[in-house]
Amino acid sequence: MESGATDIAHVEYVAQLARHLASVPHVHIPHPRRSAIAIVIRLINSATYPPYPPSQTPEATTQSLHEFLSNSVLASARAQILFIQRAQHDRDPWSGNIGFPGGKHELCDESDQATAERETREELGLDLREGYVHLGQLNDVAVYLLGQGTRMAVSPHVYLQTQKQTPELRVSDEVASAHWIDFGCVLDRMDHPVRQFTAKYRSIGACIAARLFPKQMHRWWFRLLSVCLGKLHYTVLPLPYTSEYSVTNNVLEAGTNSVRVSDHVLFASDTELYLWGISLCMVSELVDMSLPVAPQNVWSVASPWPQLGSWLWTDVNWMTNSVHRLTWTTHRRKPWTSQSDFFISYFRTLSIAFPVSCAAKLALAIYVGRFLFKI
């Protein structure tokens, strides 16, 4: 962040977020399969807590929010964002991932917002209909899985706690742990939109063969394929957490720092959560909407494109990185257009670069074979 940016009162960021969510239309992705998540924000460490005026209409809600966030008693309050780590399930492609409470749309849900609220009640025992106000909706995010295409669209909904005491979180079997992360830690580890990314990002590797053939890992050819393809390394944003603001599911055998997916990816340590994928995309947009910058001039989605880990595919990384450099300048965090998905853009480029690399290697092998045969 720019010098002094983190010194700004957290309530000012929240107020800016509320204004942008109320004035900027979100991007809707039409897809038959939909999910919704809840990004819950609270303000803590305030000596007193102002009452939130009741409201029945959108106009009244805007006025109530303005009065609530303008109260001087919140000037010293710290904002926190609620994250969860999903429990380990062999059939869940997001097993162990860091994200937000939420889930799939059901027939009983009247809207995406209703889905987010129902799933939050089921997973954490937190009722967002009481003591919380719906600030608005971020852009829909397309869920793209390697080898499976676009699986669904996710609708992120943002809520602000308007009551001083947070109800006790009761994590379900779907959740390994829940964590309130200080908003200042997020700001500190994400640069201003007009700067390059901070070195505090890290990477995690996911086995490509396991993602392509999750049910074939016992086959004899799977190990050979795993060695040839290697891992796809994604950028993660480490976020520190403390036990004081965390709730762990004691029923589960695995703790927060030991939940892994089938290809042995660790999504948390004893002190940090590793945020990546679409959850990192959502947090990036949330930060952009909280800054005193016109959202239409900000290109969301943090981190460079993923990288293939095997030395065999160095040329593929060179091709994808070349495309990325042409479309992702030091002033933009998202390639292509503002409505194009970050990972879909990468895999589209990869679908061209990878066959070109294979064809070049095959041509080289044939040439070398003919040369040796002549000798």
Side-chain angles (χ1 to χ4, degrees):
M1 298 295 294
E2 291 180 331
S3 178
T6 53
D7 296 332
I8 300 175
H10 282 198
V11 69
E12 294 295 330
Y13 286 114
V14 176
Q16 186 66 63
L17 173 64
R19 286 192 290 268
H20 279 156
L21 288 175
S23 60
V24 180
H26 71 276
V27 176
H28 175 78
I29 299 177
H31 197 280
R33 300 184 62 185
R34 300 190 61 79
S35 293
I37 61 96
I39 302 177
V40 184
I41 302 172
R42 71 176 183 180
L43 295 166
I44 65 167
N45 296 337
S46 175
T48 59
Y49 216 71
Y52 180 78
S55 56
Q56 301 294 331
T57 65
E59 294 78 11
T61 299
T62 302
Q63 180 62 31
S64 297
L65 269 173
H66 175 73
E67 294 178 11
F68 178 75
L69 296 174
S70 300
N71 198 304
S72 59
V73 301
L74 294 178
S76 61
R78 306 285 297 182
Q80 291 183 329
I81 305 174
L82 179 61
F83 291 90
I84 66 169
Q85 180 174 32
R86 299 210 161 272
Q88 183 174 8
H89 293 289
D90 294 336
R91 296 183 179 181
D92 183 3
W94 297 280
S95 175
N97 276 237
I98 306 302
F100 304 99
K104 296 179 181 179
H105 179 83
E106 302 289 351
L107 294 177
C108 61
D109 299 326
E110 298 179 353
S111 62
D112 290 337
Q113 181 180 342
T115 300
E117 294 174 357
R118 175 184 55 78
E119 287 286 344
T120 303
R121 288 195 303 273
E122 294 176 358
E123 294 181 351
L124 299 176
L126 189 64
D127 192 346
L128 298 176
R129 299 170 299 179
E130 299 179 5
Y132 294 84
V133 60
H134 181 250
L135 297 183
Q137 182 177 349
L138 299 176
N139 292 338
D140 284 1
V141 179
V143 176
Y144 188 92
L145 294 182
L146 183 61
Q148 301 181 40
T150 303
R151 290 283 299 273
M152 66 177 64
V154 180
S155 174
H157 291 262
V158 184
Y159 292 84
L160 174 65
Q161 180 175 308
T162 57
Q163 55 189 350
K164 182 174 178 59
Q165 297 297 328
T166 303
E168 180 182 359
L169 299 181
R170 301 186 301 275
V171 294
S172 69
D173 294 340
E174 301 177 50
V175 178
S177 57
H179 308 269
W180 289 100
I181 304 297
D182 190 275
F183 189 55
C185 295
V186 178
L187 290 172
D188 180 57
R189 301 199 175 207
M190 297 184 74
D191 278 348
H192 191 276
V194 297
R195 288 187 178 181
Q196 293 189 18
F197 292 97
T198 167
K200 293 179 180 178
Y201 285 95
R202 303 175 190 169
S203 68
I204 54 174
C207 177
I208 299 175
R211 292 298 176 94
L212 292 173
F213 307 102
K215 299 181 180 180
Q216 306 297 328
M217 289 189 287
H218 62 284
R219 302 287 185 179
W220 64 269
W221 48 264
F222 180 85
R223 191 173 189 84
L224 177 62
L225 186 64
S226 299
V227 173
C228 292
L229 294 180
K231 292 185 176 182
L232 189 62
H233 292 267
Y234 292 89
T235 300
V236 302
L237 179 66
L239 296 175
Y241 71 90
T242 62
S243 58
E244 179 184 1
Y245 297 117
S246 301
V247 178
T248 303
N249 192 335
N250 296 322
V251 177
L252 300 178
E253 295 181 359
T256 300
N257 62 330
S258 60
V259 179
R260 297 172 180 262
V261 295
S262 58
D263 50 352
H264 307 291
V265 178
L266 189 64
F267 290 107
S269 69
D270 290 328
T271 58
E272 293 178 325
L273 306 177
Y274 300 142
L275 190 67
W276 77 294
I278 63 172
S279 296
L280 179 56
C281 295
M282 296 173 186
V283 170
S284 177
E285 186 185 2
L286 184 77
V287 170
D288 292 342
M289 298 286 276
S290 304
L291 297 173
V293 182
Q296 61 268 26
N297 296 330
V298 177
W299 294 51
S300 295
V301 177
S303 84
W305 274 349
Q307 301 290 298
L308 292 170
S310 174
W311 62 269
L312 286 172
W313 311 114
T314 302
D315 55 337
V316 175
N317 286 335
W318 180 84
M319 285 185 278
T320 58
N321 290 337
S322 297
V323 174
H324 192 265
R325 280 192 296 270
L326 292 174
T327 57
W328 178 77
T329 69
T330 57
H331 300 283
R332 295 176 180 173
R333 285 196 262 176
K334 188 171 184 177
W336 310 109
T337 65
S338 60
Q339 296 185 15
S340 179
D341 184 85
F342 182 73
F343 292 106
I344 291 180
S345 299
Y346 169 71
F347 287 118
R348 284 174 179 169
T349 306
L350 185 65
S351 66
I352 299 175
F354 194 81
V356 169
S357 174
C358 291
K361 289 180 174 64
L362 179 60
L364 179 62
I366 294 175
Y367 176 81
V368 172
R370 288 180 177 178
F371 177 77
L372 295 176
F373 181 76
K374 289 181 181 180
I375 296 178

